[in-house]
């Protein structure tokens, strides 16, 4: 009888489960792994946010260009944002146009549906335009009848918040979707250039006429 009892005791499994020490070790291992991957996850999210912002800024730039071509944005019109004149003898120097001093005369793209652009918003954009046409017959800062080369810079609305100073040399200080994280408010999110043809002229004819006048 004693031997049978001993045999039964030996055949019974021991109590399962983790000890307190094993649980602590598991928690430490998980914590170390989370600390290791947290920066990668944060960088991934920030890059995704900046890529989305760049996409929306590109749409804002295209809307601005279309507004100029359709003349819904025009010199002296009710919609603010007609590009400012940039005077230079070098046709390729438009990228050096000065950055805006403030947002008073910039084109607003309301992305958060409030009805206006606010400098506390992280979704709204302000669009800066600068035009170049060395034709000396343009005397009233309205190049619509002649056509012009256009530079477009799209800034976050909060780039004009109090205490923010825009980078004065955006030509040499571009943003990077991969390396900029949530972005640098002192630089444009998007910068592009295009041609705005003279009224009634196809763009290639407008460019040809302008090149003829600037060729020595």
């Amino acid at each position: 009888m004693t031997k049978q009892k001993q045999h039964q005791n030996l055949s019974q499994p021991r109590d399962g489960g983790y000890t307190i020490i094993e649980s602590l070790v598991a928690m430490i291992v998980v914590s170390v792994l989370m600390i290791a991957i947290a920066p990668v996850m944060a960088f991934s999210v920030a890059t995704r946010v900046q890529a989305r912002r760049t996409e929306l800024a590109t749409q804002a730039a295209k809307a601005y260009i279309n507004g100029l071509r359709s003349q819904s944005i025009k010199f002296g019109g009710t919609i603010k944002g007609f590009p400012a004149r940039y005077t230079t003898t070098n046709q390729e120097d438009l990228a050096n146009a000065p950055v805006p001093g403030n947002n008073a005369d910039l084109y607003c793209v309301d992305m958060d549906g409030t009805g206006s652009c606010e400098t506390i918003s992280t979704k709204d954009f302000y669009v800066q335009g600068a035009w170049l046409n060395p034709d000396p017959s343009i005397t009233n800062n309205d190049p619509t009848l002649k056509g012009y080369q256009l530079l477009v810079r799209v800034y976050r609305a909060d780039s004009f918040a109090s205490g923010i100073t825009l980078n004065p040399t955006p030509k040499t200080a571009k943003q990077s979707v991969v390396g900029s994280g949530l972005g640098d408010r002192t630089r444009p999110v998007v910068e592009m250039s295009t041609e705005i043809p003279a009224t009634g002229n196809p763009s290639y004819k407008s460019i040809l006429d302008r090149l003829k006048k600037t060729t020595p």
Side-chain angles (χ1 to χ4, degrees), residues 140-187:
N140 62 350
N141 290 329
D142 181 8
T144 305
L145 297 177
K146 299 290 184 177
Y148 52 94
Q149 184 181 356
L150 173 70
L151 172 71
V152 178
R153 295 187 185 124
V154 182
Y155 289 91
R156 296 165 48 170
D158 59 358
S159 293
F160 298 91
S162 177
I164 303 296
T165 301
L166 298 182
N167 190 306
T169 56
K171 181 179 179 180
T172 57
K174 305 297 183 184
Q175 291 217 39
S176 168
V177 173
V178 175
S180 60
L182 289 177
D184 183 350
R185 287 190 289 172
T186 68
R187 305 176 185 179

Side-chain angles (χ1 to χ4, degrees), residues 71 114 132 137 181 191 195 209-210:
Q71 295 189 50
T114 60
L132 173 63
S137 67
E191 179 176 310
E195 294 285 339
D209 291 343
R210 188 161 66 252

